[in-house]
Amino acid sequence: MKSLQKSPANLAAMAQVASEYDVIIEHECSGTITRVQPASAYNGFQPGGTNVTLDPFEPIWPPLNYREAFTLRTLTEIGVDQIAYSSLIRWCDPETVKKLAIRGYIIAKPPGRKISDDEIRLTDEGLLAWTAALNHRSVGRSENEV
């Protein structure tokens, strides 16, 4: 039986073509589809690497990576000034906490030895930035759909 896995060299070549020509490449083998597509502002956040947008009016600059976006979205669901624990939020590692704290979107208590020591809280600036980013994306999509 032929292996369904693509070699790293084949995947890299597919990614190169997808980026250069801004296309989606699909490969189907025995009912399994491998899809390679370039990152863009329209297909959402991509795990791994940096997410670069070509929109000069993006309200958050530089754009959030998928870890920052997921953490910020989770914290907005919890609420402003509410205690959350970074260790309990998926993809929220110390580097993500540091980046969001530098932007002023969260207040982070230095991590200690216990779970209760890694408290983070959403700031008003973080809520405003996330709301502006969501509004910007919804306006951009509705204009493109018309």
Side-chain angles (χ1 to χ4, degrees), residues 63-115:
L64 299 171
N65 66 27
Y66 78 102
R67 292 176 185 267
E68 294 170 306
F70 186 86
T71 300
L72 203 55
R73 184 181 73 208
T74 302
L75 290 174
T76 57
E77 292 170 0
I78 294 170
V80 174
D81 286 331
Q82 299 298 314
I83 295 174
Y85 302 103
S86 63
S87 60
L88 300 177
I89 299 174
R90 175 184 274 176
W91 298 320
C92 185
D93 58 1
E95 186 66 26
T96 302
V97 170
K98 181 180 173 184
K99 287 179 181 179
L100 290 173
I102 288 171
R103 291 179 188 250
Y105 296 164
I106 65 170
I107 298 171
K109 186 177 173 184
R113 294 180 180 216
K114 299 182 284 185
I115 290 178

Side-chain angles (χ1 to χ4, degrees), residues 8 17 37 40 47 62 70 72 87 90 98-100 111 113 118 125 131 135 138 144:
V17 170
Q37 68 186 64
S40 75
F70 186 86
L72 203 55
S87 60
R90 175 184 274 176
K98 181 180 173 184
K99 287 179 181 179
L100 290 173
R113 294 180 180 216
D118 73 341
E125 291 82 11
T131 304
N135 289 339
S138 65
N144 290 333

Side-chain angles (χ1 to χ4, degrees), residues 3-6 11 14 24-37:
S3 173
L4 298 178
Q5 292 184 339
K6 301 297 273 173
L11 290 173
M14 291 169 67
I24 297 172
I25 299 173
E26 291 185 353
H27 173 73
E28 183 177 356
C29 182
S30 302
T32 301
I33 297 174
T34 303
R35 180 177 296 127
V36 179
Q37 68 186 64

